[in-house]
Amino acid sequence: MSSDQPMLKRRATLAVRSLAVLAVAMTASDTVAATEGHSLSPKALEIARPFGFPITNSMVVTWIVALGLVVFAQVATRNMKQVPDGTQNLLEWMVESLYRFLESLLGPQLVRQTFWFFATIFIFILASNWVGLFPGVGSIGWGHQTPEGFRLEEPLFRGANADVNLTLAMALIFFACWIVWGLRAIGPRGFLKEMFAPKGTSTGALRVLMVVVFFAAGCLELVSILFRPISLSFRLYGNIFAGETMLETMAAIPTIGWLVQIPFYFLELLVGLVQALVFMLLTAVFTLLICQHHDEGTTVAHS
């Protein structure tokens, strides 16, 4: 009997763990069923179709953010002063900080060609992420009354980057710019050499082996490059959608839902900044890898 005691203890422990997992699963399923009416749709909802053109709730927020940024830039640069203050000071500080940061990464020559894109994409993504946290985004719209209260079915506003169509569009625009920048920097021949040509010096049979190895590696790199727009778009979409879903689920908690959300709002502010920075940095690094020159000026800049 004494030799069977460890086996019995292990079986009892496994049984207790199985019961615990089952209880957690049942509780989770009950929670999901209770908050099903408050869950965020994986895709943007169409709210209007003027002249046959579909308009979704994420497009409305995208236009609001774009218009807000245009108005902010116009106000900040309306009366330019030698000693900036107010909105001009904020805009100049933001642009100058981004330029210095990107210049340290890309070098002075490449940053002059590409800064317009990286700065625009960072500011737009950051503004879109933070506007998506405003009260009313995802909580104002059409629905119906139920015994448990009002159930929202078609929100009027949705976070812009919680729509994969927008994130994929930004990634595809970068992909097109990346090709143009790469061709301008190293030309079509240099583009192919960067992808498939063997690196280093070798002769004889080793040279043939290196050609085969680097050509195979270039094919794998080509597949990786083609998947970059997908990875860029889904990384941003997934993080923003997950954050909004979390806040929506917490809002469904009776009585104290608003209180539980408060610390997570501050967390989502940080996540919005980080995701904008990650998108900008990844696109900048991809550009640097294809556009970097091996001449004297760039070697000094990147050393």
Side-chain angles (χ1 to χ4, degrees):
M1 290 295 293
S2 60
S3 61
D4 294 336
Q5 285 182 355
M7 180 64 70
L8 292 175
K9 288 182 179 180
R10 283 196 293 271
R11 290 178 178 176
T13 303
L14 290 174
V16 171
R17 289 180 178 176
S18 300
L19 289 174
V21 170
L22 180 60
V24 170
M26 292 175 64
T27 303
S29 63
D30 291 341
T31 304
V32 170
T35 60
E36 186 177 1
H38 300 272
S39 60
L40 185 66
S41 171
K43 62 179 182 179
L45 299 177
E46 183 179 323
I47 59 175
R49 186 179 281 268
F51 306 105
F53 180 76
I55 296 177
T56 63
N57 47 8
S58 65
M59 291 171 63
V60 174
V61 176
T62 302
W63 294 338
I64 292 174
V65 172
L67 181 61
L69 291 176
V70 170
V71 171
F72 171 73
Q74 291 293 326
V75 171
T77 58
R78 180 182 301 171
N79 297 314
M80 300 289 287
K81 300 178 181 178
Q82 199 69 21
V83 180
D85 59 356
T87 55
Q88 180 188 345
N89 189 31
L90 175 61
L91 181 62
E92 289 189 5
W93 168 80
M94 183 166 49
V95 171
E96 185 178 359
S97 299
L98 283 173
Y99 191 90
R100 289 181 177 177
F101 176 72
L102 289 169
E103 186 179 24
S104 65
L105 177 66
L106 301 175
Q109 180 179 354
L110 187 57
V111 76
R112 283 195 297 268
Q113 302 174 10
T114 60
F115 176 74
W116 62 271
F117 175 83
F118 297 128
T120 301
I121 211 72
F122 173 79
I123 295 172
F124 177 76
I125 292 176
L126 178 62
S128 300
N129 292 344
W130 284 357
V131 167
L133 299 175
F134 281 12
V137 177
S139 59
I140 297 177
W142 299 271
H144 65 277
Q145 196 69 29
T146 65
E148 293 80 16
F150 183 78
R151 175 173 294 181
L152 182 66
E153 294 180 344
E154 296 184 9
L156 179 60
F157 304 109
R158 176 193 178 98
N161 290 320
D163 183 1
V164 71
N165 294 292
L166 176 62
T167 59
L168 182 59
M170 291 188 293
L172 289 175
I173 291 173
F174 161 71
F175 188 66
C177 292
W178 179 82
I179 294 175
V180 173
W181 293 331
L183 291 176
R184 284 182 177 177
I186 58 179
R189 185 177 178 181
F191 208 102
L192 293 175
K193 288 180 63 177
E194 186 72 23
M195 293 286 298
F196 301 105
K199 283 31 173 213
T201 57
S202 56
T203 57
L206 180 59
R207 178 69 177 179
V208 176
L209 177 62
M210 295 297 289
V211 169
V212 175
V213 169
F214 275 93
F215 180 79
C219 293
L220 293 177
E221 180 66 16
L222 181 62
V223 174
S224 173
I225 289 172
L226 293 176
F227 272 93
R228 282 177 184 175
I230 299 176
S231 62
L232 283 171
S233 59
F234 275 89
R235 179 184 290 107
L236 178 58
Y237 162 74
N239 281 279
I240 301 305
F241 178 77
E244 294 196 5
T245 301
M246 178 184 64
L247 294 177
E248 289 281 340
T249 304
M250 291 179 178
I253 300 176
T255 310
I256 62 171
W258 65 272
L259 184 61
V260 177
Q261 284 181 312
I262 293 177
F264 289 93
Y265 261 102
F266 290 101
L267 177 62
E268 286 303 309
L269 287 173
L270 179 61
V271 169
L273 173 62
V274 170
Q275 289 305 315
L277 189 61
V278 166
F279 195 98
M280 182 190 72
L281 281 176
L282 285 175
T283 53
V285 170
F286 291 153
T287 303
L288 175 64
L289 291 176
I290 195 63
C291 293
Q292 58 185 351
H293 297 280
H294 301 286
D295 53 15
E296 181 179 354
T298 307
T299 302
V300 173
H302 297 296
S303 61

